[in-house]
Amino acid sequence: MNEHLDGFHHAGLLTRDLDTLEKRYESLGFTLSPRSRHLLAAEPGKPPVPGCTANRCAVFGDSYIELLGIVDDAAPDPWHTRAMAAEYEGFRLLNLETGDADAADARLREIGLTTSGVLDLERAVDTASGPRTLRARAVHVDPRATPEGYLGVAQHLTREYVHQPRYLGHENGARGIGAVLIVADPAVFDTVVDRYARISGRPADQEGPLALVDVGGARLEIVRSGDAEALLPGEPAPSGSYLAAMTIRVADVYRAREVVDNAAIATRTTPDGFFVSARDAFGAGLFFTG
């Protein structure tokens, strides 16, 4: 096992219409943190500069869903978010959590991945004690090696400013991200599975059509695109390989479904709960389970 990974840090949805995205996730029953603009470093050791993005987050204590929006096209774009949006918007980002960004970066390089090095991130946040500066460190894997999405590892330096108790209660009872489902083109399926197994430091398991990789306690589910229809019937496929869905653990599936139904958002029954289409959740299919 890779001792430098501690599960999911966050999963990110990217849009140029943050207003509509945040309204939809509030309708789905998520409590969102206030909007916050990013300060981003372009290179290791460089000071963060104001970027073109802002976010709101649904936080769960151990992980969060980031709703990331391009809000100022005239601002610098040191993390190349506009190029990402030009490909397609939706579920584009997955960051694994680490307590040591330098060690995690070294591990990624050891297994043959090209990285950005350790970059600094800041953003202003409101807290119960007044304004504070959230700080984090992140490592980006070269996206040319990860056709399914933009992969990184991230380290909280001020976790308490992200996972504030006042934002942890959600109308839908959400408690965390249980899994992320990746659809892989058959031509790269084995490569994708092998990459996450090397990142994890343990072999993948098989469960029907799914390859399962435990990455520091986080469950990655990887399926060939040819087998995805059985899991995601009628769902859009924005690319040959892509981040397709996440599993949201909730306190009460029936209560969560009532919240979503009351918002007039379509749901589909699954063996463990219910599903909201990526068409209705800005590019990320959502499995709600108990």
PDB file of all heavy atoms in Angstrom, residues 6-11 31 57-66 94-97 156 159 162-164 167-168 170 174-180 218 246-249:
ATOM      1  N   ASP A   6      -4.246   8.888   1.356  1.00  0.00           N
ATOM      2  CA  ASP A   6      -5.247   8.762   2.417  1.00  0.00           C
ATOM      3  C   ASP A   6      -6.665   8.874   1.868  1.00  0.00           C
ATOM      4  O   ASP A   6      -7.530   9.492   2.477  1.00  0.00           O
ATOM      5  CB  ASP A   6      -5.029   9.840   3.490  1.00  0.00           C
ATOM      6  CG  ASP A   6      -3.633   9.775   4.096  1.00  0.00           C
ATOM      7  OD1 ASP A   6      -3.256   8.695   4.561  1.00  0.00           O
ATOM      8  OD2 ASP A   6      -2.932  10.796   4.081  1.00  0.00           O
ATOM      9  N   GLY A   7      -6.919   8.299   0.696  1.00  0.00           N
ATOM     10  CA  GLY A   7      -8.268   8.323   0.140  1.00  0.00           C
ATOM     11  C   GLY A   7      -8.487   9.484  -0.803  1.00  0.00           C
ATOM     12  O   GLY A   7      -7.557  10.034  -1.395  1.00  0.00           O
ATOM     13  N   PHE A   8      -9.756   9.868  -0.951  1.00  0.00           N
ATOM     14  CA  PHE A   8     -10.100  10.977  -1.829  1.00  0.00           C
ATOM     15  C   PHE A   8      -9.879  12.299  -1.109  1.00  0.00           C
ATOM     16  O   PHE A   8     -10.305  12.475   0.039  1.00  0.00           O
ATOM     17  CB  PHE A   8     -11.570  10.906  -2.262  1.00  0.00           C
ATOM     18  CG  PHE A   8     -11.901   9.747  -3.149  1.00  0.00           C
ATOM     19  CD1 PHE A   8     -12.958   8.901  -2.843  1.00  0.00           C
ATOM     20  CD2 PHE A   8     -11.163   9.486  -4.290  1.00  0.00           C
ATOM     21  CE1 PHE A   8     -13.274   7.837  -3.651  1.00  0.00           C
ATOM     22  CE2 PHE A   8     -11.474   8.411  -5.114  1.00  0.00           C
ATOM     23  CZ  PHE A   8     -12.532   7.584  -4.793  1.00  0.00           C
ATOM     24  N   HIS A   9      -9.232  13.225  -1.789  1.00  0.00           N
ATOM     25  CA  HIS A   9      -9.175  14.614  -1.327  1.00  0.00           C
ATOM     26  C   HIS A   9     -10.413  15.343  -1.836  1.00  0.00           C
ATOM     27  O   HIS A   9     -11.199  15.871  -1.056  1.00  0.00           O
ATOM     28  CB  HIS A   9      -7.894  15.282  -1.827  1.00  0.00           C
ATOM     29  CG  HIS A   9      -7.660  16.655  -1.290  1.00  0.00           C
ATOM     30  ND1 HIS A   9      -8.244  17.777  -1.832  1.00  0.00           N
ATOM     31  CD2 HIS A   9      -6.893  17.100  -0.261  1.00  0.00           C
ATOM     32  CE1 HIS A   9      -7.844  18.852  -1.174  1.00  0.00           C
ATOM     33  NE2 HIS A   9      -7.026  18.468  -0.212  1.00  0.00           N
ATOM     34  N   HIS A  10     -10.591  15.317  -3.170  1.00  0.00           N
ATOM     35  CA  HIS A  10     -11.825  15.859  -3.738  1.00  0.00           C
ATOM     36  C   HIS A  10     -12.020  15.386  -5.164  1.00  0.00           C
ATOM     37  O   HIS A  10     -11.068  14.970  -5.832  1.00  0.00           O
ATOM     38  CB  HIS A  10     -11.855  17.390  -3.667  1.00  0.00           C
ATOM     39  CG  HIS A  10     -10.890  18.091  -4.580  1.00  0.00           C
ATOM     40  ND1 HIS A  10      -9.583  18.332  -4.250  1.00  0.00           N
ATOM     41  CD2 HIS A  10     -11.054  18.622  -5.831  1.00  0.00           C
ATOM     42  CE1 HIS A  10      -8.978  18.977  -5.238  1.00  0.00           C
ATOM     43  NE2 HIS A  10      -9.854  19.156  -6.214  1.00  0.00           N
ATOM     44  N   ALA A  11     -13.262  15.443  -5.598  1.00  0.00           N
ATOM     45  CA  ALA A  11     -13.634  15.208  -6.987  1.00  0.00           C
ATOM     46  C   ALA A  11     -14.181  16.523  -7.521  1.00  0.00           C
ATOM     47  O   ALA A  11     -14.930  17.218  -6.825  1.00  0.00           O
ATOM     48  CB  ALA A  11     -14.695  14.111  -7.085  1.00  0.00           C
ATOM     49  N   THR A  31     -25.329  21.025   0.816  1.00  0.00           N
ATOM     50  CA  THR A  31     -24.958  22.322   1.374  1.00  0.00           C
ATOM     51  C   THR A  31     -23.622  22.727   0.767  1.00  0.00           C
ATOM     52  O   THR A  31     -22.680  21.922   0.740  1.00  0.00           O
ATOM     53  CB  THR A  31     -24.811  22.239   2.902  1.00  0.00           C
ATOM     54  OG1 THR A  31     -26.064  21.875   3.468  1.00  0.00           O
ATOM     55  CG2 THR A  31     -24.348  23.565   3.495  1.00  0.00           C
ATOM     56  N   CYS A  57     -18.008  24.301  -2.613  1.00  0.00           N
ATOM     57  CA  CYS A  57     -17.722  22.898  -2.311  1.00  0.00           C
ATOM     58  C   CYS A  57     -18.806  22.300  -1.425  1.00  0.00           C
ATOM     59  O   CYS A  57     -19.331  22.970  -0.529  1.00  0.00           O
ATOM     60  CB  CYS A  57     -16.375  22.782  -1.600  1.00  0.00           C
ATOM     61  SG  CYS A  57     -14.985  23.404  -2.562  1.00  0.00           S
ATOM     62  N   ALA A  58     -19.103  21.026  -1.682  1.00  0.00           N
ATOM     63  CA  ALA A  58     -19.917  20.210  -0.787  1.00  0.00           C
ATOM     64  C   ALA A  58     -18.946  19.368   0.023  1.00  0.00           C
ATOM     65  O   ALA A  58     -18.295  18.466  -0.524  1.00  0.00           O
ATOM     66  CB  ALA A  58     -20.873  19.330  -1.579  1.00  0.00           C
ATOM     67  N   VAL A  59     -18.807  19.669   1.306  1.00  0.00           N
ATOM     68  CA  VAL A  59     -17.757  19.056   2.118  1.00  0.00           C
ATOM     69  C   VAL A  59     -18.347  18.009   3.059  1.00  0.00           C
ATOM     70  O   VAL A  59     -19.475  18.143   3.537  1.00  0.00           O
ATOM     71  CB  VAL A  59     -16.957  20.113   2.900  1.00  0.00           C
ATOM     72  CG1 VAL A  59     -16.293  21.098   1.951  1.00  0.00           C
ATOM     73  CG2 VAL A  59     -17.835  20.867   3.886  1.00  0.00           C
ATOM     74  N   PHE A  60     -17.558  16.957   3.328  1.00  0.00           N
ATOM     75  CA  PHE A  60     -18.050  15.815   4.094  1.00  0.00           C
ATOM     76  C   PHE A  60     -17.157  15.467   5.283  1.00  0.00           C
ATOM     77  O   PHE A  60     -17.357  14.452   5.927  1.00  0.00           O
ATOM     78  CB  PHE A  60     -18.148  14.592   3.172  1.00  0.00           C
ATOM     79  CG  PHE A  60     -18.904  14.860   1.905  1.00  0.00           C
ATOM     80  CD1 PHE A  60     -18.271  14.733   0.675  1.00  0.00           C
ATOM     81  CD2 PHE A  60     -20.234  15.263   1.928  1.00  0.00           C
ATOM     82  CE1 PHE A  60     -18.953  14.988  -0.505  1.00  0.00           C
ATOM     83  CE2 PHE A  60     -20.918  15.523   0.752  1.00  0.00           C
ATOM     84  CZ  PHE A  60     -20.283  15.390  -0.469  1.00  0.00           C
ATOM     85  N   GLY A  61     -16.150  16.255   5.548  1.00  0.00           N
ATOM     86  CA  GLY A  61     -15.256  15.953   6.651  1.00  0.00           C
ATOM     87  C   GLY A  61     -13.991  15.265   6.209  1.00  0.00           C
ATOM     88  O   GLY A  61     -12.890  15.610   6.643  1.00  0.00           O
ATOM     89  N   ASP A  62     -14.135  14.253   5.316  1.00  0.00           N
ATOM     90  CA  ASP A  62     -12.958  13.535   4.839  1.00  0.00           C
ATOM     91  C   ASP A  62     -12.654  13.813   3.372  1.00  0.00           C
ATOM     92  O   ASP A  62     -11.566  13.495   2.887  1.00  0.00           O
ATOM     93  CB  ASP A  62     -13.131  12.029   5.037  1.00  0.00           C
ATOM     94  CG  ASP A  62     -14.318  11.456   4.255  1.00  0.00           C
ATOM     95  OD1 ASP A  62     -15.151  12.246   3.776  1.00  0.00           O
ATOM     96  OD2 ASP A  62     -14.401  10.221   4.129  1.00  0.00           O
ATOM     97  N   SER A  63     -13.593  14.384   2.654  1.00  0.00           N
ATOM     98  CA  SER A  63     -13.439  14.646   1.215  1.00  0.00           C
ATOM     99  C   SER A  63     -14.467  15.716   0.836  1.00  0.00           C
ATOM    100  O   SER A  63     -15.270  16.141   1.668  1.00  0.00           O
ATOM    101  CB  SER A  63     -13.675  13.359   0.408  1.00  0.00           C
ATOM    102  OG  SER A  63     -14.972  12.835   0.671  1.00  0.00           O
ATOM    103  N   TYR A  64     -14.430  16.110  -0.432  1.00  0.00           N
ATOM    104  CA  TYR A  64     -15.447  17.069  -0.877  1.00  0.00           C
ATOM    105  C   TYR A  64     -15.615  17.019  -2.384  1.00  0.00           C
ATOM    106  O   TYR A  64     -14.753  16.520  -3.111  1.00  0.00           O
ATOM    107  CB  TYR A  64     -15.128  18.499  -0.413  1.00  0.00           C
ATOM    108  CG  TYR A  64     -13.864  19.138  -0.954  1.00  0.00           C
ATOM    109  CD1 TYR A  64     -13.874  19.909  -2.113  1.00  0.00           C
ATOM    110  CD2 TYR A  64     -12.658  19.017  -0.275  1.00  0.00           C
ATOM    111  CE1 TYR A  64     -12.734  20.529  -2.588  1.00  0.00           C
ATOM    112  CE2 TYR A  64     -11.499  19.632  -0.733  1.00  0.00           C
ATOM    113  CZ  TYR A  64     -11.543  20.395  -1.891  1.00  0.00           C
ATOM    114  OH  TYR A  64     -10.417  21.010  -2.358  1.00  0.00           O
ATOM    115  N   ILE A  65     -16.767  17.508  -2.823  1.00  0.00           N
ATOM    116  CA  ILE A  65     -17.023  17.717  -4.244  1.00  0.00           C
ATOM    117  C   ILE A  65     -16.777  19.184  -4.527  1.00  0.00           C
ATOM    118  O   ILE A  65     -17.386  20.063  -3.897  1.00  0.00           O
ATOM    119  CB  ILE A  65     -18.469  17.351  -4.621  1.00  0.00           C
ATOM    120  CG1 ILE A  65     -18.751  15.879  -4.308  1.00  0.00           C
ATOM    121  CG2 ILE A  65     -18.723  17.639  -6.105  1.00  0.00           C
ATOM    122  CD1 ILE A  65     -20.219  15.504  -4.475  1.00  0.00           C
ATOM    123  N   GLU A  66     -15.886  19.452  -5.458  1.00  0.00           N
ATOM    124  CA  GLU A  66     -15.594  20.830  -5.846  1.00  0.00           C
ATOM    125  C   GLU A  66     -16.395  21.185  -7.089  1.00  0.00           C
ATOM    126  O   GLU A  66     -16.328  20.500  -8.107  1.00  0.00           O
ATOM    127  CB  GLU A  66     -14.105  21.012  -6.140  1.00  0.00           C
ATOM    128  CG  GLU A  66     -13.769  22.442  -6.570  1.00  0.00           C
ATOM    129  CD  GLU A  66     -12.315  22.650  -6.924  1.00  0.00           C
ATOM    130  OE1 GLU A  66     -11.665  21.679  -7.373  1.00  0.00           O
ATOM    131  OE2 GLU A  66     -11.826  23.787  -6.751  1.00  0.00           O
ATOM    132  N   LEU A  94      -9.892  14.636 -10.381  1.00  0.00           N
ATOM    133  CA  LEU A  94      -9.868  13.726  -9.244  1.00  0.00           C
ATOM    134  C   LEU A  94      -8.543  13.919  -8.521  1.00  0.00           C
ATOM    135  O   LEU A  94      -7.470  13.749  -9.107  1.00  0.00           O
ATOM    136  CB  LEU A  94     -10.011  12.273  -9.694  1.00  0.00           C
ATOM    137  CG  LEU A  94      -9.984  11.232  -8.568  1.00  0.00           C
ATOM    138  CD1 LEU A  94     -11.147  11.448  -7.604  1.00  0.00           C
ATOM    139  CD2 LEU A  94     -10.015   9.826  -9.151  1.00  0.00           C
ATOM    140  N   ASN A  95      -8.637  14.285  -7.248  1.00  0.00           N
ATOM    141  CA  ASN A  95      -7.442  14.448  -6.429  1.00  0.00           C
ATOM    142  C   ASN A  95      -7.478  13.470  -5.262  1.00  0.00           C
ATOM    143  O   ASN A  95      -8.478  13.398  -4.536  1.00  0.00           O
ATOM    144  CB  ASN A  95      -7.339  15.875  -5.881  1.00  0.00           C
ATOM    145  CG  ASN A  95      -6.584  16.805  -6.803  1.00  0.00           C
ATOM    146  OD1 ASN A  95      -5.629  17.457  -6.396  1.00  0.00           O
ATOM    147  ND2 ASN A  95      -7.009  16.891  -8.060  1.00  0.00           N
ATOM    148  N   LEU A  96      -6.394  12.723  -5.105  1.00  0.00           N
ATOM    149  CA  LEU A  96      -6.224  11.849  -3.961  1.00  0.00           C
ATOM    150  C   LEU A  96      -5.570  12.631  -2.829  1.00  0.00           C
ATOM    151  O   LEU A  96      -4.806  13.565  -3.071  1.00  0.00           O
ATOM    152  CB  LEU A  96      -5.372  10.643  -4.347  1.00  0.00           C
ATOM    153  CG  LEU A  96      -5.889   9.847  -5.545  1.00  0.00           C
ATOM    154  CD1 LEU A  96      -4.889   8.769  -5.942  1.00  0.00           C
ATOM    155  CD2 LEU A  96      -7.253   9.243  -5.272  1.00  0.00           C
ATOM    156  N   GLU A  97      -5.867  12.248  -1.607  1.00  0.00           N
ATOM    157  CA  GLU A  97      -5.346  13.006  -0.468  1.00  0.00           C
ATOM    158  C   GLU A  97      -4.009  12.445  -0.004  1.00  0.00           C
ATOM    159  O   GLU A  97      -3.780  11.237   0.002  1.00  0.00           O
ATOM    160  CB  GLU A  97      -6.330  12.989   0.697  1.00  0.00           C
ATOM    161  CG  GLU A  97      -5.808  13.746   1.904  1.00  0.00           C
ATOM    162  CD  GLU A  97      -6.888  14.300   2.795  1.00  0.00           C
ATOM    163  OE1 GLU A  97      -8.065  14.201   2.431  1.00  0.00           O
ATOM    164  OE2 GLU A  97      -6.535  14.849   3.848  1.00  0.00           O
ATOM    165  N   HIS A 156      -3.868  19.115   2.469  1.00  0.00           N
ATOM    166  CA  HIS A 156      -4.410  20.226   3.245  1.00  0.00           C
ATOM    167  C   HIS A 156      -3.326  20.797   4.154  1.00  0.00           C
ATOM    168  O   HIS A 156      -2.615  20.041   4.830  1.00  0.00           O
ATOM    169  CB  HIS A 156      -5.553  19.756   4.142  1.00  0.00           C
ATOM    170  CG  HIS A 156      -6.847  19.497   3.446  1.00  0.00           C
ATOM    171  ND1 HIS A 156      -7.587  20.513   2.870  1.00  0.00           N
ATOM    172  CD2 HIS A 156      -7.548  18.350   3.270  1.00  0.00           C
ATOM    173  CE1 HIS A 156      -8.698  19.990   2.365  1.00  0.00           C
ATOM    174  NE2 HIS A 156      -8.695  18.685   2.577  1.00  0.00           N
ATOM    175  N   ARG A 159      -6.882  22.317   6.859  1.00  0.00           N
ATOM    176  CA  ARG A 159      -8.084  21.492   6.669  1.00  0.00           C
ATOM    177  C   ARG A 159      -9.298  22.102   7.354  1.00  0.00           C
ATOM    178  O   ARG A 159     -10.423  22.042   6.841  1.00  0.00           O
ATOM    179  CB  ARG A 159      -7.842  20.091   7.216  1.00  0.00           C
ATOM    180  CG  ARG A 159      -9.070  19.197   7.205  1.00  0.00           C
ATOM    181  CD  ARG A 159      -8.803  17.862   7.870  1.00  0.00           C
ATOM    182  NE  ARG A 159      -7.937  17.030   7.069  1.00  0.00           N
ATOM    183  CZ  ARG A 159      -8.380  16.256   6.080  1.00  0.00           C
ATOM    184  NH1 ARG A 159      -9.667  16.214   5.788  1.00  0.00           N
ATOM    185  NH2 ARG A 159      -7.532  15.537   5.386  1.00  0.00           N
ATOM    186  N   VAL A 162     -11.583  24.255   5.312  1.00  0.00           N
ATOM    187  CA  VAL A 162     -12.394  23.602   4.283  1.00  0.00           C
ATOM    188  C   VAL A 162     -13.572  22.883   4.925  1.00  0.00           C
ATOM    189  O   VAL A 162     -14.735  23.141   4.616  1.00  0.00           O
ATOM    190  CB  VAL A 162     -11.557  22.603   3.455  1.00  0.00           C
ATOM    191  CG1 VAL A 162     -12.447  21.878   2.439  1.00  0.00           C
ATOM    192  CG2 VAL A 162     -10.419  23.314   2.754  1.00  0.00           C
ATOM    193  N   HIS A 163     -13.256  21.978   5.844  1.00  0.00           N
ATOM    194  CA  HIS A 163     -14.274  21.110   6.436  1.00  0.00           C
ATOM    195  C   HIS A 163     -14.847  21.743   7.706  1.00  0.00           C
ATOM    196  O   HIS A 163     -14.763  21.173   8.805  1.00  0.00           O
ATOM    197  CB  HIS A 163     -13.680  19.731   6.700  1.00  0.00           C
ATOM    198  CG  HIS A 163     -13.243  19.028   5.458  1.00  0.00           C
ATOM    199  ND1 HIS A 163     -14.124  18.381   4.613  1.00  0.00           N
ATOM    200  CD2 HIS A 163     -12.017  18.900   4.880  1.00  0.00           C
ATOM    201  CE1 HIS A 163     -13.466  17.866   3.592  1.00  0.00           C
ATOM    202  NE2 HIS A 163     -12.187  18.178   3.722  1.00  0.00           N
ATOM    203  N   GLN A 164     -15.436  22.916   7.537  1.00  0.00           N
ATOM    204  CA  GLN A 164     -16.032  23.607   8.673  1.00  0.00           C
ATOM    205  C   GLN A 164     -17.326  22.902   9.087  1.00  0.00           C
ATOM    206  O   GLN A 164     -18.143  22.541   8.242  1.00  0.00           O
ATOM    207  CB  GLN A 164     -16.315  25.060   8.318  1.00  0.00           C
ATOM    208  CG  GLN A 164     -15.076  25.878   7.993  1.00  0.00           C
ATOM    209  CD  GLN A 164     -15.400  27.340   7.720  1.00  0.00           C
ATOM    210  OE1 GLN A 164     -16.157  27.967   8.461  1.00  0.00           O
ATOM    211  NE2 GLN A 164     -14.830  27.883   6.650  1.00  0.00           N
ATOM    212  N   TYR A 167     -20.816  23.448   7.470  1.00  0.00           N
ATOM    213  CA  TYR A 167     -21.109  23.031   6.095  1.00  0.00           C
ATOM    214  C   TYR A 167     -21.240  21.514   5.953  1.00  0.00           C
ATOM    215  O   TYR A 167     -21.453  21.017   4.842  1.00  0.00           O
ATOM    216  CB  TYR A 167     -20.012  23.525   5.146  1.00  0.00           C
ATOM    217  CG  TYR A 167     -19.821  25.021   5.159  1.00  0.00           C
ATOM    218  CD1 TYR A 167     -18.547  25.583   5.262  1.00  0.00           C
ATOM    219  CD2 TYR A 167     -20.913  25.888   5.094  1.00  0.00           C
ATOM    220  CE1 TYR A 167     -18.363  26.956   5.281  1.00  0.00           C
ATOM    221  CE2 TYR A 167     -20.736  27.262   5.129  1.00  0.00           C
ATOM    222  CZ  TYR A 167     -19.460  27.792   5.228  1.00  0.00           C
ATOM    223  OH  TYR A 167     -19.292  29.143   5.256  1.00  0.00           O
ATOM    224  N   LEU A 168     -21.087  20.768   7.048  1.00  0.00           N
ATOM    225  CA  LEU A 168     -21.078  19.308   6.961  1.00  0.00           C
ATOM    226  C   LEU A 168     -22.470  18.693   6.926  1.00  0.00           C
ATOM    227  O   LEU A 168     -22.613  17.519   6.576  1.00  0.00           O
ATOM    228  CB  LEU A 168     -20.285  18.715   8.133  1.00  0.00           C
ATOM    229  CG  LEU A 168     -18.799  19.070   8.193  1.00  0.00           C
ATOM    230  CD1 LEU A 168     -18.155  18.405   9.406  1.00  0.00           C
ATOM    231  CD2 LEU A 168     -18.083  18.653   6.920  1.00  0.00           C
ATOM    232  N   HIS A 170     -26.018  18.098   5.295  1.00  0.00           N
ATOM    233  CA  HIS A 170     -26.621  18.188   3.977  1.00  0.00           C
ATOM    234  C   HIS A 170     -28.063  17.700   4.043  1.00  0.00           C
ATOM    235  O   HIS A 170     -28.361  16.689   4.701  1.00  0.00           O
ATOM    236  CB  HIS A 170     -25.822  17.351   2.968  1.00  0.00           C
ATOM    237  CG  HIS A 170     -24.394  17.770   2.850  1.00  0.00           C
ATOM    238  ND1 HIS A 170     -23.974  18.766   1.995  1.00  0.00           N
ATOM    239  CD2 HIS A 170     -23.275  17.342   3.507  1.00  0.00           C
ATOM    240  CE1 HIS A 170     -22.661  18.927   2.117  1.00  0.00           C
ATOM    241  NE2 HIS A 170     -22.216  18.071   3.029  1.00  0.00           N
ATOM    242  N   ALA A 174     -25.863  13.477   2.843  1.00  0.00           N
ATOM    243  CA  ALA A 174     -24.577  13.032   2.299  1.00  0.00           C
ATOM    244  C   ALA A 174     -23.504  13.004   3.376  1.00  0.00           C
ATOM    245  O   ALA A 174     -23.382  13.925   4.186  1.00  0.00           O
ATOM    246  CB  ALA A 174     -24.151  13.940   1.150  1.00  0.00           C
ATOM    247  N   ARG A 175     -22.697  11.909   3.353  1.00  0.00           N
ATOM    248  CA  ARG A 175     -21.650  11.724   4.353  1.00  0.00           C
ATOM    249  C   ARG A 175     -20.267  11.554   3.744  1.00  0.00           C
ATOM    250  O   ARG A 175     -19.277  11.566   4.465  1.00  0.00           O
ATOM    251  CB  ARG A 175     -21.971  10.516   5.228  1.00  0.00           C
ATOM    252  CG  ARG A 175     -23.263  10.657   6.014  1.00  0.00           C
ATOM    253  CD  ARG A 175     -23.460   9.510   6.977  1.00  0.00           C
ATOM    254  NE  ARG A 175     -23.607   8.228   6.283  1.00  0.00           N
ATOM    255  CZ  ARG A 175     -23.855   7.080   6.905  1.00  0.00           C
ATOM    256  NH1 ARG A 175     -23.955   7.047   8.221  1.00  0.00           N
ATOM    257  NH2 ARG A 175     -23.987   5.955   6.210  1.00  0.00           N
ATOM    258  N   GLY A 176     -20.180  11.358   2.426  1.00  0.00           N
ATOM    259  CA  GLY A 176     -18.870  11.211   1.814  1.00  0.00           C
ATOM    260  C   GLY A 176     -18.945  10.601   0.428  1.00  0.00           C
ATOM    261  O   GLY A 176     -20.007  10.171  -0.027  1.00  0.00           O
ATOM    262  N   ILE A 177     -17.797  10.588  -0.245  1.00  0.00           N
ATOM    263  CA  ILE A 177     -17.673   9.969  -1.562  1.00  0.00           C
ATOM    264  C   ILE A 177     -17.193   8.533  -1.348  1.00  0.00           C
ATOM    265  O   ILE A 177     -16.075   8.308  -0.881  1.00  0.00           O
ATOM    266  CB  ILE A 177     -16.669  10.729  -2.453  1.00  0.00           C
ATOM    267  CG1 ILE A 177     -17.076  12.205  -2.570  1.00  0.00           C
ATOM    268  CG2 ILE A 177     -16.580  10.093  -3.828  1.00  0.00           C
ATOM    269  CD1 ILE A 177     -16.023  13.073  -3.250  1.00  0.00           C
ATOM    270  N   GLY A 178     -18.037   7.564  -1.687  1.00  0.00           N
ATOM    271  CA  GLY A 178     -17.687   6.176  -1.467  1.00  0.00           C
ATOM    272  C   GLY A 178     -16.831   5.578  -2.557  1.00  0.00           C
ATOM    273  O   GLY A 178     -16.032   4.679  -2.305  1.00  0.00           O
ATOM    274  N   ALA A 179     -17.002   6.040  -3.786  1.00  0.00           N
ATOM    275  CA  ALA A 179     -16.255   5.474  -4.911  1.00  0.00           C
ATOM    276  C   ALA A 179     -16.329   6.436  -6.087  1.00  0.00           C
ATOM    277  O   ALA A 179     -17.227   7.287  -6.158  1.00  0.00           O
ATOM    278  CB  ALA A 179     -16.822   4.113  -5.318  1.00  0.00           C
ATOM    279  N   VAL A 180     -15.396   6.281  -7.000  1.00  0.00           N
ATOM    280  CA  VAL A 180     -15.418   6.988  -8.284  1.00  0.00           C
ATOM    281  C   VAL A 180     -15.338   5.940  -9.385  1.00  0.00           C
ATOM    282  O   VAL A 180     -14.507   5.027  -9.323  1.00  0.00           O
ATOM    283  CB  VAL A 180     -14.259   7.992  -8.403  1.00  0.00           C
ATOM    284  CG1 VAL A 180     -14.097   8.471  -9.846  1.00  0.00           C
ATOM    285  CG2 VAL A 180     -14.485   9.185  -7.482  1.00  0.00           C
ATOM    286  N   ALA A 218      -9.728   4.788  -0.613  1.00  0.00           N
ATOM    287  CA  ALA A 218     -10.713   5.238  -1.597  1.00  0.00           C
ATOM    288  C   ALA A 218     -10.885   4.158  -2.656  1.00  0.00           C
ATOM    289  O   ALA A 218      -9.916   3.537  -3.074  1.00  0.00           O
ATOM    290  CB  ALA A 218     -10.261   6.539  -2.252  1.00  0.00           C
ATOM    291  N   MET A 246     -19.733   9.152  -9.444  1.00  0.00           N
ATOM    292  CA  MET A 246     -19.254   8.953  -8.085  1.00  0.00           C
ATOM    293  C   MET A 246     -20.387   8.396  -7.236  1.00  0.00           C
ATOM    294  O   MET A 246     -21.571   8.620  -7.528  1.00  0.00           O
ATOM    295  CB  MET A 246     -18.679  10.242  -7.499  1.00  0.00           C
ATOM    296  CG  MET A 246     -19.635  11.396  -7.349  1.00  0.00           C
ATOM    297  SD  MET A 246     -18.792  12.908  -6.762  1.00  0.00           S
ATOM    298  CE  MET A 246     -18.260  13.630  -8.335  1.00  0.00           C
ATOM    299  N   THR A 247     -20.024   7.642  -6.227  1.00  0.00           N
ATOM    300  CA  THR A 247     -20.988   7.091  -5.280  1.00  0.00           C
ATOM    301  C   THR A 247     -21.002   7.975  -4.041  1.00  0.00           C
ATOM    302  O   THR A 247     -19.951   8.211  -3.432  1.00  0.00           O
ATOM    303  CB  THR A 247     -20.611   5.654  -4.885  1.00  0.00           C
ATOM    304  OG1 THR A 247     -20.668   4.827  -6.048  1.00  0.00           O
ATOM    305  CG2 THR A 247     -21.564   5.108  -3.836  1.00  0.00           C
ATOM    306  N   ILE A 248     -22.181   8.470  -3.692  1.00  0.00           N
ATOM    307  CA  ILE A 248     -22.351   9.329  -2.526  1.00  0.00           C
ATOM    308  C   ILE A 248     -22.990   8.515  -1.410  1.00  0.00           C
ATOM    309  O   ILE A 248     -24.088   7.978  -1.572  1.00  0.00           O
ATOM    310  CB  ILE A 248     -23.230  10.551  -2.850  1.00  0.00           C
ATOM    311  CG1 ILE A 248     -22.691  11.303  -4.078  1.00  0.00           C
ATOM    312  CG2 ILE A 248     -23.337  11.473  -1.641  1.00  0.00           C
ATOM    313  CD1 ILE A 248     -21.294  11.842  -3.920  1.00  0.00           C
ATOM    314  N   ARG A 249     -22.308   8.395  -0.290  1.00  0.00           N
ATOM    315  CA  ARG A 249     -22.862   7.704   0.868  1.00  0.00           C
ATOM    316  C   ARG A 249     -23.796   8.661   1.620  1.00  0.00           C
ATOM    317  O   ARG A 249     -23.409   9.799   1.919  1.00  0.00           O
ATOM    318  CB  ARG A 249     -21.742   7.231   1.797  1.00  0.00           C
ATOM    319  CG  ARG A 249     -20.836   6.169   1.190  1.00  0.00           C
ATOM    320  CD  ARG A 249     -19.748   5.726   2.151  1.00  0.00           C
ATOM    321  NE  ARG A 249     -18.693   6.725   2.293  1.00  0.00           N
ATOM    322  CZ  ARG A 249     -18.552   7.525   3.329  1.00  0.00           C
ATOM    323  NH1 ARG A 249     -19.421   7.475   4.334  1.00  0.00           N
ATOM    324  NH2 ARG A 249     -17.565   8.391   3.371  1.00  0.00           N
TER     325      ARG A 249
END
